Amino acid sequence: MHEGAELLVVCFEHAWDTKEEALEDMEKFVQEDRIALVAVEPSYQSKGIGTKLVAILEEEVYKQGGIIIYLGTDDEDGRTSLSEGDLFEDTYEKIKNIRNLDRHPYAFYEKQGYKIVGVFPDANGFGKPDIWMAKRIKDK
């Protein structure tokens, strides 16, 4: 669990200031018997590991009867065009024309079949939206 907390601090440096804070959250995630997030160390990204992890997650959710996976991917550091300007103006047009400015993970999830289903403007401060994505994993 300690290695997982270290990985969270490396991959999500804006979310946890210390390994101890990340470890506290890791312990909560395990106690709640749920998968809250999975991270791939930056030096191992773009090697298919994330794609395999997402496929495993989707299969597990499918086996347990889930039909949709929702995920949030914040833009706290200006890595998408959604962080430019006021997202309360022309919201849907901005979502439709989103651009990836600096390897934001939403593009990875799009490659896995996820679609942007909404945003929360300024969720993390002015110009720092939450981007919500979803994928149906079970047909009707």
Side-chain angles (χ1 to χ4, degrees), residues 58-69 114 134-140:
E58 290 174 358
E59 181 62 28
E60 187 60 33
V61 170
Y62 180 84
K63 286 179 187 176
Q64 293 185 28
I67 59 171
I68 298 175
I69 294 178
Y114 289 79
K135 179 179 179 182
R136 184 180 293 128
I137 57 169
K138 190 179 231 179
D139 291 331
K140 294 179 185 178

PDB file of all heavy atoms in Angstrom, residues 58-69 114 134-140:
ATOM      1  N   GLU A  58     -13.097  -2.765 -16.694  1.00  0.00           N
ATOM      2  CA  GLU A  58     -14.374  -2.886 -17.405  1.00  0.00           C
ATOM      3  C   GLU A  58     -14.927  -4.302 -17.306  1.00  0.00           C
ATOM      4  O   GLU A  58     -16.128  -4.494 -17.103  1.00  0.00           O
ATOM      5  CB  GLU A  58     -14.206  -2.471 -18.859  1.00  0.00           C
ATOM      6  CG  GLU A  58     -13.984  -0.988 -19.026  1.00  0.00           C
ATOM      7  CD  GLU A  58     -13.673  -0.579 -20.458  1.00  0.00           C
ATOM      8  OE1 GLU A  58     -13.588  -1.459 -21.352  1.00  0.00           O
ATOM      9  OE2 GLU A  58     -13.509   0.636 -20.698  1.00  0.00           O
ATOM     10  N   GLU A  59     -14.073  -5.299 -17.435  1.00  0.00           N
ATOM     11  CA  GLU A  59     -14.512  -6.695 -17.333  1.00  0.00           C
ATOM     12  C   GLU A  59     -15.056  -6.992 -15.935  1.00  0.00           C
ATOM     13  O   GLU A  59     -16.083  -7.651 -15.787  1.00  0.00           O
ATOM     14  CB  GLU A  59     -13.361  -7.645 -17.672  1.00  0.00           C
ATOM     15  CG  GLU A  59     -13.731  -9.106 -17.624  1.00  0.00           C
ATOM     16  CD  GLU A  59     -14.807  -9.502 -18.624  1.00  0.00           C
ATOM     17  OE1 GLU A  59     -14.922  -8.870 -19.689  1.00  0.00           O
ATOM     18  OE2 GLU A  59     -15.552 -10.464 -18.337  1.00  0.00           O
ATOM     19  N   GLU A  60     -14.386  -6.493 -14.916  1.00  0.00           N
ATOM     20  CA  GLU A  60     -14.836  -6.714 -13.540  1.00  0.00           C
ATOM     21  C   GLU A  60     -16.181  -6.032 -13.287  1.00  0.00           C
ATOM     22  O   GLU A  60     -17.079  -6.616 -12.679  1.00  0.00           O
ATOM     23  CB  GLU A  60     -13.791  -6.230 -12.543  1.00  0.00           C
ATOM     24  CG  GLU A  60     -14.106  -6.584 -11.111  1.00  0.00           C
ATOM     25  CD  GLU A  60     -14.224  -8.087 -10.868  1.00  0.00           C
ATOM     26  OE1 GLU A  60     -13.520  -8.882 -11.512  1.00  0.00           O
ATOM     27  OE2 GLU A  60     -15.059  -8.465 -10.015  1.00  0.00           O
ATOM     28  N   VAL A  61     -16.320  -4.803 -13.752  1.00  0.00           N
ATOM     29  CA  VAL A  61     -17.595  -4.092 -13.592  1.00  0.00           C
ATOM     30  C   VAL A  61     -18.702  -4.836 -14.337  1.00  0.00           C
ATOM     31  O   VAL A  61     -19.810  -5.006 -13.827  1.00  0.00           O
ATOM     32  CB  VAL A  61     -17.470  -2.627 -14.080  1.00  0.00           C
ATOM     33  CG1 VAL A  61     -18.827  -1.950 -14.143  1.00  0.00           C
ATOM     34  CG2 VAL A  61     -16.531  -1.841 -13.162  1.00  0.00           C
ATOM     35  N   TYR A  62     -18.401  -5.321 -15.537  1.00  0.00           N
ATOM     36  CA  TYR A  62     -19.369  -6.086 -16.329  1.00  0.00           C
ATOM     37  C   TYR A  62     -19.808  -7.352 -15.580  1.00  0.00           C
ATOM     38  O   TYR A  62     -20.992  -7.649 -15.485  1.00  0.00           O
ATOM     39  CB  TYR A  62     -18.752  -6.443 -17.684  1.00  0.00           C
ATOM     40  CG  TYR A  62     -19.655  -7.218 -18.588  1.00  0.00           C
ATOM     41  CD1 TYR A  62     -20.585  -6.574 -19.397  1.00  0.00           C
ATOM     42  CD2 TYR A  62     -19.594  -8.609 -18.647  1.00  0.00           C
ATOM     43  CE1 TYR A  62     -21.424  -7.284 -20.237  1.00  0.00           C
ATOM     44  CE2 TYR A  62     -20.430  -9.332 -19.480  1.00  0.00           C
ATOM     45  CZ  TYR A  62     -21.342  -8.671 -20.278  1.00  0.00           C
ATOM     46  OH  TYR A  62     -22.174  -9.384 -21.098  1.00  0.00           O
ATOM     47  N   LYS A  63     -18.836  -8.078 -15.030  1.00  0.00           N
ATOM     48  CA  LYS A  63     -19.141  -9.305 -14.283  1.00  0.00           C
ATOM     49  C   LYS A  63     -20.035  -9.035 -13.089  1.00  0.00           C
ATOM     50  O   LYS A  63     -20.839  -9.884 -12.700  1.00  0.00           O
ATOM     51  CB  LYS A  63     -17.852  -9.964 -13.784  1.00  0.00           C
ATOM     52  CG  LYS A  63     -17.055 -10.661 -14.843  1.00  0.00           C
ATOM     53  CD  LYS A  63     -15.800 -11.243 -14.204  1.00  0.00           C
ATOM     54  CE  LYS A  63     -14.866 -11.814 -15.223  1.00  0.00           C
ATOM     55  NZ  LYS A  63     -13.608 -12.283 -14.602  1.00  0.00           N
ATOM     56  N   GLN A  64     -19.888  -7.856 -12.488  1.00  0.00           N
ATOM     57  CA  GLN A  64     -20.689  -7.521 -11.321  1.00  0.00           C
ATOM     58  C   GLN A  64     -22.026  -6.881 -11.697  1.00  0.00           C
ATOM     59  O   GLN A  64     -22.761  -6.427 -10.826  1.00  0.00           O
ATOM     60  CB  GLN A  64     -19.892  -6.604 -10.395  1.00  0.00           C
ATOM     61  CG  GLN A  64     -18.700  -7.309  -9.775  1.00  0.00           C
ATOM     62  CD  GLN A  64     -17.975  -6.455  -8.771  1.00  0.00           C
ATOM     63  OE1 GLN A  64     -18.548  -5.579  -8.127  1.00  0.00           O
ATOM     64  NE2 GLN A  64     -16.686  -6.715  -8.601  1.00  0.00           N
ATOM     65  N   GLY A  65     -22.333  -6.847 -12.976  1.00  0.00           N
ATOM     66  CA  GLY A  65     -23.632  -6.349 -13.419  1.00  0.00           C
ATOM     67  C   GLY A  65     -23.684  -4.871 -13.756  1.00  0.00           C
ATOM     68  O   GLY A  65     -24.761  -4.335 -14.040  1.00  0.00           O
ATOM     69  N   GLY A  66     -22.556  -4.200 -13.748  1.00  0.00           N
ATOM     70  CA  GLY A  66     -22.537  -2.779 -14.101  1.00  0.00           C
ATOM     71  C   GLY A  66     -22.803  -2.574 -15.577  1.00  0.00           C
ATOM     72  O   GLY A  66     -22.490  -3.440 -16.400  1.00  0.00           O
ATOM     73  N   ILE A  67     -23.393  -1.455 -15.922  1.00  0.00           N
ATOM     74  CA  ILE A  67     -23.652  -1.175 -17.331  1.00  0.00           C
ATOM     75  C   ILE A  67     -22.887   0.040 -17.854  1.00  0.00           C
ATOM     76  O   ILE A  67     -22.647   0.155 -19.052  1.00  0.00           O
ATOM     77  CB  ILE A  67     -25.161  -0.985 -17.609  1.00  0.00           C
ATOM     78  CG1 ILE A  67     -25.743   0.152 -16.782  1.00  0.00           C
ATOM     79  CG2 ILE A  67     -25.910  -2.279 -17.360  1.00  0.00           C
ATOM     80  CD1 ILE A  67     -27.165   0.530 -17.169  1.00  0.00           C
ATOM     81  N   ILE A  68     -22.493   0.943 -16.965  1.00  0.00           N
ATOM     82  CA  ILE A  68     -21.780   2.150 -17.372  1.00  0.00           C
ATOM     83  C   ILE A  68     -20.664   2.422 -16.369  1.00  0.00           C
ATOM     84  O   ILE A  68     -20.829   2.218 -15.173  1.00  0.00           O
ATOM     85  CB  ILE A  68     -22.717   3.378 -17.409  1.00  0.00           C
ATOM     86  CG1 ILE A  68     -23.818   3.183 -18.432  1.00  0.00           C
ATOM     87  CG2 ILE A  68     -21.941   4.661 -17.722  1.00  0.00           C
ATOM     88  CD1 ILE A  68     -24.852   4.304 -18.436  1.00  0.00           C
ATOM     89  N   ILE A  69     -19.554   2.898 -16.882  1.00  0.00           N
ATOM     90  CA  ILE A  69     -18.486   3.392 -16.018  1.00  0.00           C
ATOM     91  C   ILE A  69     -18.408   4.894 -16.223  1.00  0.00           C
ATOM     92  O   ILE A  69     -18.334   5.370 -17.361  1.00  0.00           O
ATOM     93  CB  ILE A  69     -17.131   2.743 -16.341  1.00  0.00           C
ATOM     94  CG1 ILE A  69     -17.183   1.251 -16.013  1.00  0.00           C
ATOM     95  CG2 ILE A  69     -16.008   3.439 -15.560  1.00  0.00           C
ATOM     96  CD1 ILE A  69     -15.905   0.503 -16.336  1.00  0.00           C
ATOM     97  N   TYR A 114     -14.415   6.079 -24.127  1.00  0.00           N
ATOM     98  CA  TYR A 114     -15.159   6.951 -23.214  1.00  0.00           C
ATOM     99  C   TYR A 114     -15.505   8.263 -23.917  1.00  0.00           C
ATOM    100  O   TYR A 114     -14.764   8.726 -24.784  1.00  0.00           O
ATOM    101  CB  TYR A 114     -14.346   7.228 -21.934  1.00  0.00           C
ATOM    102  CG  TYR A 114     -14.254   6.003 -21.060  1.00  0.00           C
ATOM    103  CD1 TYR A 114     -13.367   4.985 -21.352  1.00  0.00           C
ATOM    104  CD2 TYR A 114     -15.088   5.854 -19.961  1.00  0.00           C
ATOM    105  CE1 TYR A 114     -13.304   3.837 -20.583  1.00  0.00           C
ATOM    106  CE2 TYR A 114     -15.031   4.714 -19.172  1.00  0.00           C
ATOM    107  CZ  TYR A 114     -14.138   3.709 -19.499  1.00  0.00           C
ATOM    108  OH  TYR A 114     -14.087   2.568 -18.727  1.00  0.00           O
ATOM    109  N   ALA A 134     -17.841   8.928 -19.668  1.00  0.00           N
ATOM    110  CA  ALA A 134     -18.572   7.694 -19.406  1.00  0.00           C
ATOM    111  C   ALA A 134     -18.442   6.748 -20.599  1.00  0.00           C
ATOM    112  O   ALA A 134     -18.174   7.173 -21.725  1.00  0.00           O
ATOM    113  CB  ALA A 134     -20.046   7.992 -19.139  1.00  0.00           C
ATOM    114  N   LYS A 135     -18.667   5.477 -20.309  1.00  0.00           N
ATOM    115  CA  LYS A 135     -18.682   4.453 -21.345  1.00  0.00           C
ATOM    116  C   LYS A 135     -19.689   3.378 -20.953  1.00  0.00           C
ATOM    117  O   LYS A 135     -19.662   2.881 -19.819  1.00  0.00           O
ATOM    118  CB  LYS A 135     -17.300   3.825 -21.499  1.00  0.00           C
ATOM    119  CG  LYS A 135     -17.230   2.726 -22.542  1.00  0.00           C
ATOM    120  CD  LYS A 135     -15.828   2.174 -22.636  1.00  0.00           C
ATOM    121  CE  LYS A 135     -15.739   1.064 -23.651  1.00  0.00           C
ATOM    122  NZ  LYS A 135     -14.376   0.505 -23.705  1.00  0.00           N
ATOM    123  N   ARG A 136     -20.555   3.029 -21.880  1.00  0.00           N
ATOM    124  CA  ARG A 136     -21.495   1.918 -21.670  1.00  0.00           C
ATOM    125  C   ARG A 136     -20.726   0.634 -21.933  1.00  0.00           C
ATOM    126  O   ARG A 136     -20.134   0.472 -22.997  1.00  0.00           O
ATOM    127  CB  ARG A 136     -22.688   2.047 -22.603  1.00  0.00           C
ATOM    128  CG  ARG A 136     -23.737   0.978 -22.360  1.00  0.00           C
ATOM    129  CD  ARG A 136     -24.935   1.104 -23.282  1.00  0.00           C
ATOM    130  NE  ARG A 136     -25.679   2.321 -22.971  1.00  0.00           N
ATOM    131  CZ  ARG A 136     -26.022   3.228 -23.872  1.00  0.00           C
ATOM    132  NH1 ARG A 136     -25.687   3.094 -25.133  1.00  0.00           N
ATOM    133  NH2 ARG A 136     -26.713   4.299 -23.512  1.00  0.00           N
ATOM    134  N   ILE A 137     -20.742  -0.274 -20.974  1.00  0.00           N
ATOM    135  CA  ILE A 137     -19.985  -1.524 -21.122  1.00  0.00           C
ATOM    136  C   ILE A 137     -20.892  -2.733 -21.301  1.00  0.00           C
ATOM    137  O   ILE A 137     -20.406  -3.840 -21.483  1.00  0.00           O
ATOM    138  CB  ILE A 137     -19.033  -1.752 -19.929  1.00  0.00           C
ATOM    139  CG1 ILE A 137     -19.772  -1.770 -18.620  1.00  0.00           C
ATOM    140  CG2 ILE A 137     -17.918  -0.722 -19.930  1.00  0.00           C
ATOM    141  CD1 ILE A 137     -18.943  -2.235 -17.452  1.00  0.00           C
ATOM    142  N   LYS A 138     -22.194  -2.518 -21.251  1.00  0.00           N
ATOM    143  CA  LYS A 138     -23.151  -3.618 -21.427  1.00  0.00           C
ATOM    144  C   LYS A 138     -24.278  -3.125 -22.309  1.00  0.00           C
ATOM    145  O   LYS A 138     -24.842  -2.068 -22.066  1.00  0.00           O
ATOM    146  CB  LYS A 138     -23.685  -4.044 -20.060  1.00  0.00           C
ATOM    147  CG  LYS A 138     -24.491  -5.310 -20.073  1.00  0.00           C
ATOM    148  CD  LYS A 138     -24.935  -5.645 -18.659  1.00  0.00           C
ATOM    149  CE  LYS A 138     -24.585  -7.066 -18.344  1.00  0.00           C
ATOM    150  NZ  LYS A 138     -24.984  -7.423 -16.981  1.00  0.00           N
ATOM    151  N   ASP A 139     -24.569  -3.885 -23.366  1.00  0.00           N
ATOM    152  CA  ASP A 139     -25.670  -3.498 -24.241  1.00  0.00           C
ATOM    153  C   ASP A 139     -27.013  -3.748 -23.579  1.00  0.00           C
ATOM    154  O   ASP A 139     -27.107  -4.469 -22.584  1.00  0.00           O
ATOM    155  CB  ASP A 139     -25.600  -4.308 -25.535  1.00  0.00           C
ATOM    156  CG  ASP A 139     -24.392  -3.916 -26.383  1.00  0.00           C
ATOM    157  OD1 ASP A 139     -23.966  -2.766 -26.296  1.00  0.00           O
ATOM    158  OD2 ASP A 139     -23.899  -4.793 -27.117  1.00  0.00           O
ATOM    159  N   LYS A 140     -28.052  -3.137 -24.151  1.00  0.00           N
ATOM    160  CA  LYS A 140     -29.415  -3.291 -23.612  1.00  0.00           C
ATOM    161  C   LYS A 140     -29.840  -4.744 -23.652  1.00  0.00           C
ATOM    162  O   LYS A 140     -29.499  -5.509 -24.476  1.00  0.00           O
ATOM    163  CB  LYS A 140     -30.406  -2.473 -24.435  1.00  0.00           C
ATOM    164  CG  LYS A 140     -30.167  -0.990 -24.321  1.00  0.00           C
ATOM    165  CD  LYS A 140     -31.174  -0.251 -25.179  1.00  0.00           C
ATOM    166  CE  LYS A 140     -30.871   1.226 -25.185  1.00  0.00           C
ATOM    167  NZ  LYS A 140     -31.761   1.980 -26.020  1.00  0.00           N
TER     168      LYS A 140
END
